[in-house]
């Protein structure tokens, strides 16, 4: 599927150590959940925007994402004769325009193509179906992976985790926590 989400990149286990000023402790604890949620949303959104930017740049350039280790076969002569010369992912720009950041019902941040859009030239297919054909190939069309290589190009899941953790820590510090009071124990 042409989508990158943060499944499996849930909230880290965190330890917050507060001693002494109980009024401050009580206030900090009441702000804990909003800070964690906001930090996660901000960090995940930043990370997914970076992936989106990389995907769109690859589409515009007609070349796989840098440092992804992927090679795309050029268009077949028959495709160029039928549709004219165009970038591999840029026949109509419908695919490019359909790429969006979305927040799921479960609160996950994703980047991918809009699910219900029909392709303007291939009337029986949606943009998602076209994305899957381009991503995986179909016998006639060679695979030209875009999404996993784009994630790899930005630094993969460690990049996403780091963005989220930095944002969570920043939000906690806005709510009165000190840097030395926040310890992320595992993920």
């Amino acid at each position: 599927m042409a989508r990158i989400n943060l499944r499996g990149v849930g909230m880290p286990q965190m330890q917050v150590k507060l001693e002494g000023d109980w009024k401050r402790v009580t206030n900090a604890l009441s702000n804990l959940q909003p800070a964690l949620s906001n930090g996660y949303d901000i960090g995940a959104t930043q990370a997914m925007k970076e992936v989106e930017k990389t995907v769109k740049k690859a589409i515009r350039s007609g070349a796989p994402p840098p440092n992804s280790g992927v090679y795309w076969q050029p268009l077949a002569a028959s495709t160029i004769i039928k549709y004219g010369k165009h970038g591999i992912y840029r026949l109509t720009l419908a695919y490019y325009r359909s790429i969006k950041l979305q927040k799921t019902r479960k609160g996950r941040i994703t980047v991918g193509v809009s699910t219900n859009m029909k392709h303007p030239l291939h009337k029986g297919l949606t943009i998602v179906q076209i994305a899957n054909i381009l991503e995986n190939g179909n016998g006639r069309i060679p695979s030209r992976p875009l999404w996993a290589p784009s994630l790899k190009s930005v630094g993969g899941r460690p990049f996403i985790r780091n963005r989220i953790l930095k944002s969570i820590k920043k939000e906690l510090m806005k709510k009165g926590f000190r840097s030395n009071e926040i310890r992320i124990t595992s993920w």
Side-chain angles (χ1 to χ4, degrees), residues 6 21 34 40 62-63 78 82 107 113 132 135 142 146 148 160 174:
L6 300 179
D21 184 350
Y40 182 87
S78 59
K82 185 173 182 177
V113 296
N132 283 322
E135 191 78 17
L146 173 63
I160 294 169
K174 284 182 188 177

Side-chain angles (χ1 to χ4, degrees), residues 34-51:
L36 292 173
S37 294
N38 289 343
Y40 182 87
D41 287 348
I42 291 167
T45 299
Q46 289 172 347
M48 290 297 102
K49 280 184 179 180
E50 195 65 32
V51 173

Side-chain angles (χ1 to χ4, degrees), residues 17-152:
K17 185 177 181 181
L18 299 171
E19 297 175 354
D21 184 350
W22 291 107
K23 185 176 180 181
R24 185 173 162 272
V25 169
T26 303
N27 184 43
L29 289 176
S30 67
N31 287 312
L32 185 60
Q33 181 57 44
L36 292 173
S37 294
N38 289 343
Y40 182 87
D41 287 348
I42 291 167
T45 299
Q46 289 172 347
M48 290 297 102
K49 280 184 179 180
E50 195 65 32
V51 173
E52 176 186 29
K53 186 170 92 176
T54 302
V55 165
K56 286 185 170 184
K57 183 176 180 183
I59 291 172
R60 281 192 312 272
S61 72
N67 305 314
S68 65
V70 172
Y71 167 78
W72 290 347
Q73 289 185 17
L75 294 172
S78 59
T79 301
I80 295 170
I81 290 168
K82 185 173 182 177
Y83 295 110
K85 192 168 173 110
H86 63 279
I88 288 173
Y89 276 86
R90 291 186 63 179
L91 178 58
T92 65
L93 289 181
Y95 187 123
Y96 183 90
R97 290 184 189 123
S98 75
I99 297 169
K100 306 259 185 277
L101 249 62
Q102 302 165 11
K103 190 170 187 176
T104 68
R105 289 184 192 133
K106 293 183 178 182
R108 293 187 178 119
I109 308 295
T110 65
V111 61
V113 296
S114 300
T115 56
N116 297 325
M117 288 181 62
K118 297 285 183 195
H119 193 278
L121 290 181
H122 305 288
K123 300 290 184 206
L125 297 174
T126 64
I127 300 291
V128 170
Q129 290 169 320
I130 295 291
N132 283 322
I133 291 169
L134 288 169
E135 191 78 17
N136 303 307
N138 71 355
R140 288 188 349 247
I141 297 171
S143 67
R144 295 182 176 106
L146 173 63
W147 292 90
S150 293
L151 179 60
K152 180 180 180 184

